[in-house]
Amino acid sequence: MSDRIHTLSGYLYEYQKSVTQPEEFWARIADSFHWRKRWSKVLKWNFEEPDVKWFVDAKLNITENIFERHLFTIGDRPAIIWEANDPNEAGRTLTYKELFHEVNRFANALKSKGIGKGDKVIIYMPMVPEAAIAMLACARIGAIHSVVFAGFSSSALADRVNDCGAKAILTADGNFRGSKKIAVKAVVDEALEKSEVETVIVYERTQQEVSMKEGRDFWWHEVIAEESQECAPEEMDSEDMLFILYTSGSTGKPKGVVHTTGGYMVYSQYSFDNVFQYSEGDVYWCTADVGWITGHSYIVYGPLLAGATTLMFEGVPTFPDAGRFWQVVEKHQVNVFYTAPTAIRALQAYGTEPIQKYDLSSLKVLGSVGEPINEEAWHWYHTHIGRGKCPIVDTWWQTETGGIMVSPIAGITPTKPAFATLPLPGVQLCIVDPEGNELTGNSVEGNLCIKFPWPGMIRTTYGDHERCKQTYFSTYKGMYFTGDGVKRDHDGYYRILGRVDDVINVSGHRMGTAEVENAINEHPKVIESAVVGYPHEVKGQGIYAYVIADLTNRTEDNLMNEIKEMISKIIGPIAKPDKIQFVPGLPKTRSGKIMRRILRKVAEGSLDNMGDTSTLLDPDVVTKIIEGKK
Ligand code: PRX
C-alpha cells in the first residue's frame, strides 16, 4: 500500500509531515478508504471539553472497507484461520468471501430480532470466528458492540449490560480453555437475573447442557439458517459510535471507552500496516483475546481492513504443553507473531526444550504488548523465538488510544531492549513533571501525555462525559494524560515505566485497585482493605491485598479463600490477589488517606527505606504490618 513506510528516513519524513500538516497528512492516509461521502473537514478538536471529531460529516461503513473495498482482489484469500483449543480438533479457515457471507447472514439475523442502528449489543464469547463475525455483523448494521472478556463474572457482565443498556447478548454454550470446559451461557443466565435484554443468541461450541428461555434465547445456527448472505451496509457518520469497551481506572467502576467509526478505521489499519510491515500472503497471529482492545484492533479490525490473514487461537499457551504456541507457528507457518510479555515469561520458565521440537523459520516479526517487557524476557524472545533475526516491536498503547502509539516500525526503527522506541506518525508525545511543565530535551523522565489528537483516540466514556474529561483531560491542561510514567533517554527513545496511578497491570490485564478493594469489602467479615501491585516474576505485577477483618470463627486461611471466591464472583478469577495479609490497621494520613506508597514498599519487600512517615496518624501501624508480613 502506498502509505507504507519503507525506510528510517521515510519514517522521519512522514512523522514531520504529520506534525506540521496533520490534516493534510491524515487526509492522504484516509484517501485509500471507501467513503460514501467525503469529509467537510479533517479534524475539529478541543481538549478542554474534550470534543474531538475526525473526518467531519463523512459517511461510511467500516465493513464495506473490509469487504467490498477489495473483495474482487482478495475474495479467495484466507481472512481468518482458526486454531481450536485441542490440537486434535480440525481448525477452520474462512476466506474473505466466506467471512463476508457469514457476517451478512448474521447481520440479517440481528435485524430480524429487531436490532438496528444505535442499539447496543454485548458480545460474551469464546475465541471462535463467530466472535469476530458478531462484531462485524453489528458494524454492518450500525449496532454498537461491547465485547466483554468471557472470563469476567456474571456480576461484572451484568454491570456492563446495565451500563450500556444492551438490547441483546451474543454468547456461546461453553468455552474450551486448556483442559477445562467452562460454562458460558450459565454465566449469562446469572447475569440476566440482575439485568435484562430482549434477545440472547447462543453459538453452539461445547455442546454442554444449557437452559434456553422461550422467546428470549435463540441458537445461532437456527437464526442464520434462512438468512440471505447479502446485507446492505448501514451508512454511518464518521463520528457514530463503533464500539464501547469497558476498562478499569483508578476509581471503582469500570468505564465504557467509546470509539467511533471513521477515525478508528483509519488508525487501526494504518498502525497495523506500518508497525508489523505485513506483506501479502503473510500469516499474522495476535494471541490476545477479542475481549480486550488488542483483540479489537489487531485481531479483527486492523488486519481485516488491511486484507491480511489473521489467526485466531482458542486455547492457552500451555495446553497440552508449553510448546503449543510454537506448534501453531509451525503448523500455520506464522510470519508475524504478537503476544504479551507475561506469556513470554511464563514460557521462558519451561526452558528451550519445548521450542526445539518446532520449526520457527517462518517468523519474520515479533511483537509485544500490554505491559513493560523486561530486558531478560526481551532477549529470550529475540534469541529463542526470533532466532536473533526477527525485529521485536514493543508496542505501547491503551484501550483509550484505539491503536498503537509508540513502537518501532518492524525492521526499520533500530530497536533497544525494553524500549517502545519512537511515536508513530501523528502521535505527539509530551513528558511533563507533576506540575504539568513540559520536559524538553533528552534524558528526562516524567508523566506521559499526548498533546494533539490522533484519529483512533477515545471520544467519551459512555454515559458520563464528565468522567472522560476528569480522568484524561483535567490532570494537565490541554493534554491527554495516559496514566503512565515514561523516560526519554539520551537517544530520544521512549521507555514506558508503568502506571503512576492506582491502576495495576496483572499479566497484561488492567485492573483498578479500588475495583478489587470494593469486591473484597463485600465480604461481611471485612472491615477495610487496601490493594497494591508488587513486582511478580511472571505476571509483571501481582495483587497484594492488606485486609482488616474480623477473624472470629474463621482461620486466616478460610477467610483468604472466601475473599478470593468473592472476588471471582464479583469481577472474575483474573482479579484474585496473589497475597492477602491480615493487618490490624492501615497507614493513613491525618486526613484519612491511605498511604499506598508505604504499602507498596512493604509488598515489594523494600523495608529499609520507608520515606517520610511523619504525616501518619499512627506510625506504629507500619511496624505491625512489617512484622505481620509472611
Ligand atoms: O501501562 C500501560 C500498559 O498497559 C496500559 C493499557 O492497558 P490496556 O488499556 O488494557 O491496553 C493494553 C493493550 C494495549 C498502559 O497504560 N502497556 C501497554 N502496552 C505497553 C504497556 N506498558 C509498557 N510497554 C508496552 N508496550
Side-chain angles (χ1 to χ4, degrees):
M1 76 172 272
S2 60
D3 300 316
R4 182 66 69 82
I5 293 165
H6 297 287
T7 57
L8 191 56
S9 58
Y11 158 75
L12 295 169
Y13 176 81
E14 290 289 290
Y15 187 80
Q16 208 48 38
K17 269 252 161 302
S18 78
V19 172
T20 53
Q21 297 178 303
E23 294 198 42
E24 288 79 351
F25 174 83
W26 285 113
R28 172 167 53 83
I29 306 295
D31 264 340
S32 63
F33 291 83
H34 175 70
W35 303 87
R36 289 182 159 217
K37 180 177 164 245
R38 253 181 98 86
W39 48 90
S40 57
K41 184 154 178 34
V42 175
L43 170 66
K44 274 193 190 164
W45 70 289
N46 158 1
F47 269 2
E48 304 293 313
E49 290 297 331
D51 182 16
V52 176
K53 290 190 173 65
W54 280 94
F55 310 111
V56 184
D57 297 326
K59 305 286 178 211
L60 73 154
N61 184 288
I62 193 167
T63 66
E64 208 172 6
N65 279 277
I66 292 176
F67 299 116
E68 283 94 331
R69 179 168 53 136
H70 30 222
L71 207 57
F72 286 121
T73 44
I74 65 168
D76 295 323
R77 189 185 291 176
I80 296 179
I81 296 176
W82 177 72
E83 174 70 28
N85 175 62
D86 180 348
N88 299 316
E89 181 180 342
R92 290 159 64 190
T93 298
L94 285 105
T95 64
Y96 271 87
K97 217 186 283 160
E98 287 163 344
L99 180 64
F100 183 41
H101 293 156
E102 288 309 309
V103 167
N104 285 339
R105 286 171 83 198
F106 194 64
N108 286 328
L110 290 175
K111 278 207 229 167
S112 76
K113 296 287 171 231
I115 297 158
K117 190 169 180 170
D119 288 332
K120 319 293 183 309
V121 175
I122 293 269
I123 299 176
Y124 186 74
M125 292 187 72
M127 282 290 288
V128 289
E130 280 65 21
I133 292 169
M135 292 163 75
L136 298 173
C138 287
R140 187 80 178 166
I141 61 169
I144 298 154
H145 59 72
S146 184
V147 185
V148 176
F149 172 60
F152 276 121
S153 70
S154 64
S155 105
L157 175 60
D159 286 347
R160 286 151 174 80
V161 171
N162 290 333
D163 189 80
C164 72
K167 204 163 170 181
I169 301 182
L170 313 177
T171 188
D173 49 354
N175 187 359
F176 292 119
R177 295 278 296 164
S179 54
K180 294 188 215 138
K181 186 155 120 179
I182 299 162
V184 175
K185 173 62 164 58
V187 181
V188 172
D189 292 339
E190 226 177 278
L192 289 176
E193 287 168 17
K194 295 177 224 135
S195 56
E196 210 177 305
V197 295
E198 285 172 19
T199 307
V200 178
I201 300 179
V202 188
Y203 175 71
E204 189 174 45
R205 171 67 189 121
T206 53
Q207 300 186 321
Q208 65 201 86
E209 275 277 316
V210 292
S211 74
M212 299 287 278
K213 187 172 166 186
E214 182 75 38
R216 185 196 68 185
D217 300 354
F218 304 91
W219 286 105
W220 182 294
H221 56 271
E222 288 176 7
V223 296
I224 60 167
E226 304 291 316
E227 294 297 347
S228 147
Q229 55 188 38
E230 277 169 40
C231 172
E234 189 71 36
E235 187 169 289
M236 307 300 285
D237 186 87
S238 177
E239 282 300 330
D240 276 340
M241 249 188 259
L242 176 64
F243 65 84
I244 304 170
L245 185 58
Y246 286 86
T247 190
S248 299
S250 6
T251 52
K253 201 173 148 250
K255 46 185 178 268
V257 171
V258 170
H259 284 289
T260 58
T261 310
Y264 177 83
M265 171 180 79
V266 170
Y267 199 73
S268 57
Q269 185 188 328
Y270 178 74
S271 52
F272 171 80
D273 265 329
N274 280 294
V275 169
F276 300 105
Q277 294 285 306
Y278 180 88
S279 348
E280 199 182 312
D282 280 354
V283 175
Y284 160 88
W285 180 18
C286 165
T287 69
D289 189 284
V290 288
W292 312 114
I293 191 69
T294 310
H296 282 60
S297 304
Y298 300 111
I299 293 178
V300 180
Y301 288 110
L304 294 178
L305 282 160
T309 298
T310 177
L311 192 147
M312 255 180 115
F313 175 48
E314 184 184 32
V316 296
T318 48
F319 177 81
D321 56 54
R324 188 64 201 281
F325 271 2
W326 322 126
Q327 178 251 331
V328 175
V329 167
E330 178 186 275
K331 177 174 170 191
H332 295 290
Q333 292 291 290
V334 171
N335 306 106
V336 184
F337 178 72
Y338 189 30
T339 196
T342 188
I344 300 165
R345 288 189 300 262
L347 294 175
Q348 200 179 343
Y350 291 88
T352 52
E353 204 237 314
I355 308 169
Q356 279 150 11
K357 287 192 219 141
Y358 301 104
D359 174 16
L360 303 185
S361 61
S362 59
L363 289 173
K364 297 196 289 198
V365 172
L366 301 177
S368 171
V369 62
E371 46 170 330
I373 181 165
N374 49 310
E375 286 183 40
E376 201 196 339
W378 194 100
H379 284 294
W380 189 85
Y381 198 27
H382 188 249
T383 309
H384 298 292
I385 307 306
R387 303 153 346 270
K389 294 180 191 152
C390 301
I392 296 181
V393 291
D394 176 4
T395 64
W396 173 85
W397 59 297
Q398 311 178 295
T399 305
E400 294 85 345
T401 68
I404 296 168
M405 302 292 278
V406 186
S407 169
I409 309 277
I412 291 171
T413 315
T415 57
K416 213 187 251 195
F419 279 74
T421 73
L422 297 170
L424 294 196
V427 176
Q428 299 192 30
L429 303 177
C430 176
I431 303 183
V432 298
D433 69 12
E435 283 71 49
N437 304 309
E438 179 164 1
L439 302 173
T440 51
N442 288 343
S443 304
V444 289
E445 191 176 315
N447 290 343
L448 181 60
C449 292
I450 301 162
K451 54 184 175 186
F452 195 83
W454 64 102
M457 71 180 287
I458 180 175
R459 300 300 195 269
T460 187
T461 43
Y462 187 74
D464 191 353
H465 191 66
E466 185 58 26
R467 193 164 174 207
C468 172
K469 179 174 173 173
Q470 287 305 327
T471 312
Y472 307 107
F473 297 91
S474 300
T475 318
Y476 302 112
K477 203 170 151 36
M479 283 185 266
Y480 167 85
F481 175 42
T482 63
D484 279 313
V486 69
K487 171 171 132 176
R488 186 166 49 222
D489 78 351
H490 53 276
D491 288 329
Y493 267 33
Y494 291 85
R495 178 176 191 158
I496 307 297
L497 303 171
R499 303 289 303 199
V500 294
D501 53 8
D502 291 326
V503 170
I504 49 181
N505 195 325
V506 184
S507 302
H509 299 318
R510 180 169 157 183
M511 235 163 291
T513 50
E515 200 182 341
V516 183
E517 286 162 10
N518 289 349
I520 297 176
N521 298 349
E522 285 289 306
H523 193 288
K525 289 275 183 186
V526 171
I527 297 156
E528 199 180 0
S529 64
V531 166
V532 296
Y534 73 99
H536 187 288
E537 234 171 66
V538 174
K539 298 177 171 184
Q541 279 190 298
I543 305 179
Y544 199 115
Y546 296 90
V547 180
I548 309 175
D550 168 10
L551 279 157
T552 41
N553 306 328
R554 292 282 203 295
T555 64
E556 287 200 353
D557 280 352
N558 289 148
L559 191 54
M560 258 182 224
N561 290 334
E562 286 173 25
I563 289 173
K564 287 185 183 169
E565 259 317 289
M566 192 89 197
I567 295 171
S568 283
K569 245 178 85 188
I570 296 178
I571 307 175
I574 52 173
K576 276 198 230 175
D578 299 272
K579 288 186 186 162
I580 297 179
Q581 181 182 345
F582 293 104
V583 292
L586 293 167
K588 288 189 181 171
T589 60
R590 291 194 179 89
S591 58
K593 218 174 146 302
I594 296 174
M595 281 187 90
R596 286 167 190 281
R597 177 177 57 79
I598 291 176
L599 294 177
R600 270 187 227 116
K601 288 234 175 257
V602 177
E604 70 197 31
S606 35
L607 304 177
D608 36 341
N609 180 18
M610 280 294 151
D612 182 15
T613 53
S614 62
T615 54
L616 284 182
L617 192 60
D618 173 14
D620 260 5
V621 101
V622 181
T623 320
K624 287 184 194 143
I625 291 176
I626 294 173
E627 279 167 9
K629 190 175 181 227
K630 288 183 181 138

